[in-house]
Amino acid sequence: SLPGLGCKGKIDLMLVVDESGSIGSGNMATVRTALHAFVDALILATDGPNAGQTSFASIGVLNQELTDDPDLMHDAIDTLVSGGATNLSAGIALANDEFNSARDRADAPNIMLVITDGVPNVCYVSGCGSPSVEAAGYADAARADGTEVFVVGVGTGVNTAYLTDEIADTAPPTHYFAGDFDTLETVVLDLIDCD
């Protein structure tokens, strides 16, 4: 069974989107299209789902604070471009920060949706030693705060065991794999589907 994000009513959802150079401009356009469809299907509302977005490449950026305005989310999605390394820790950490902000609604479950095509290869905190261990730590910190962490790995460069065991929640189903970018839209829309 799928999480049925469209039936949960009031949720605060942060997209955490990989912008690393390995994705490439063509595939990044496909990611943007998939995320536009995702936001439309989520149907943002004041008393329903709110969403925000962080992205990560060599650094992380908070592209959009939690909002009920789909236009703001579509604008944030349109800023996504491919280039740089894979600082997964930064994307997760900045999403955690947003969930700890005044915009996070106390009565709305927090959900993080990480979309990545690779494995972490740079540290968020300089000298962290292992980017993979650091990112896993930030994912664990999100869980400790009560956030559900979902992961969609895309393509052949992902370490499925790492994303499944270290980043996604242990209670299935929280990890999904799109064989290529062309199937990403189907995968993310399935997460919303209530069937």
Side-chain angles (χ1 to χ4, degrees):
S1 71
L2 290 159
L5 299 180
C7 334
K8 289 183 182 286
K10 202 169 180 178
I11 58 172
D12 285 339
L13 183 141
M14 287 297 294
L15 290 171
V16 179
V17 187
D18 191 339
E19 290 188 289
S20 60
S22 56
I23 293 173
S25 58
N27 285 333
M28 204 73 230
T30 305
V31 171
R32 290 193 298 269
T33 299
L35 294 180
H36 284 308
F38 178 84
V39 167
D40 283 339
L42 199 55
I43 311 177
L44 302 185
T46 305
D47 287 326
N50 283 196
Q53 178 180 292
T54 66
S55 59
F56 60 96
S58 297
I59 61 167
V61 178
L62 174 63
N63 307 121
Q64 177 57 53
E65 299 171 337
L66 286 165
T67 181
D68 60 5
D69 184 343
D71 291 340
L72 291 177
M73 281 301 295
H74 288 304
D75 288 346
I77 290 164
D78 281 334
T79 68
L80 295 168
V81 290
S82 169
T86 307
N87 194 337
L88 176 57
S89 293
I92 296 174
L94 292 168
N96 285 349
D97 289 346
E98 184 63 12
F99 282 141
N100 286 306
S101 76
R103 292 168 293 278
D104 180 59
R105 298 171 296 174
D107 59 344
N110 290 346
I111 295 169
M112 190 182 299
L113 177 57
V114 177
I115 298 169
T116 182
D117 81 323
V119 292
N121 56 20
V122 285
C123 291
Y124 180 49
V125 177
S126 63
C128 79
S130 165
S132 293
V133 171
E134 186 193 41
Y138 281 107
D140 286 342
R143 268 186 283 283
D145 284 345
T147 297
E148 284 187 87
V149 182
F150 294 84
V151 179
V152 177
V154 187
T156 55
V158 293
N159 180 334
T160 54
Y162 170 74
L163 292 175
T164 301
D165 298 338
E166 303 295 337
I167 302 299
D169 282 4
T170 48
T174 52
H175 36 83
Y176 307 90
F177 295 97
D180 55 45
F181 285 92
D182 292 333
T183 58
L184 177 61
E185 184 170 338
T186 303
V187 172
V188 295
L189 288 179
D190 279 349
L191 301 182
I192 295 176
D193 198 351
C194 293
D195 296 343

